Amino acid sequence: MSPSTPRRLTAGAAALAGALTLGLGTLGSTAASAQALPALVRCTGGSFTMAVNAAAHGLGTLTNCSAPGRPGLTSGAITMSGLGTITDTLVTTTTTDKITWNTGEVTNLTEVREFIPTVGNRVREVGTGDSISGLFHPSNEEEFGRGTQSVNDAHDFTINNGLTVALFDGAL
């Protein structure tokens, strides 16, 4: 066991506990379940697309955003770039993300997303991340949503149903 394995196991257990608290488990999730937690910023609308093969690239919008003490922050544009891993039952991405808020401020994140097939071409998406710089740094990020996938040269995802993204105080 490498010296960092216990930290990763602890972080993984904490992420799983947080995902279950948010209702991100196998029974699905709703934006309302995440509303109970205090956040630095929370967006409960928008969508994104992502193409995944060995690489992962995506872009989208965040809407219906609220940030206590920042009444002018209402939306953002997100870009994502990184690597993808594809198995028969799961597509996982590790990306560096940039959110440019409607105020012109920027949050940079690292993010791990899982795209989980449900029925037909439908998928659930869950993600966790950490800010690396910019507005709301330090913070932890959680997101979830639902959408569709098509498989051509890459796995193409559209997450456009119930997308919720929240950043929590990472200094706690």
Side-chain angles (χ1 to χ4, degrees), residues 60-74:
T61 59
L62 303 175
T63 60
N64 196 30
C65 301
S66 79
R70 295 180 175 276
L73 192 150
T74 59

Side-chain angles (χ1 to χ4, degrees), residues 23-165:
L24 301 179
T26 58
L27 298 177
S29 60
T30 65
S33 65
Q35 291 294 340
L37 299 173
L40 299 171
V41 62
R42 181 182 316 277
C43 302
T44 58
S47 65
F48 71 86
T49 59
M50 182 175 281
V52 182
N53 46 37
H57 299 284
L59 57 96
T61 59
L62 303 175
T63 60
N64 196 30
C65 301
S66 79
R70 295 180 175 276
L73 192 150
T74 59
S75 63
I78 185 168
T79 58
M80 304 159 268
S81 182
L83 300 174
T85 303
I86 300 170
T87 69
D88 289 340
T89 58
L90 184 70
V91 174
T92 303
T93 63
T94 302
T95 60
T96 300
D97 299 359
K98 178 180 178 180
I99 301 171
T100 303
W101 303 103
N102 65 295
T103 58
E105 297 165 291
V106 171
T107 301
N108 295 295
L109 305 159
T110 58
E111 180 85 21
V112 175
R113 289 180 181 83
E114 290 185 342
F115 297 90
I116 304 137
T118 57
V119 177
N121 69 336
R122 298 187 186 281
V123 294
R124 284 185 305 110
E125 179 267 338
V126 294
T128 58
D130 295 298
S131 67
I132 52 177
S133 66
L135 185 63
F136 304 119
H137 179 69
S139 61
N140 306 114
E141 186 267 358
E142 294 181 353
E143 71 180 52
F144 57 88
R146 294 174 304 282
T148 59
Q149 104 173 299
S150 61
V151 180
N152 299 305
D153 294 331
H155 286 258
D156 296 315
F157 297 97
T158 299
I159 303 301
N160 59 1
N161 184 354
L163 179 61
T164 297
V165 175

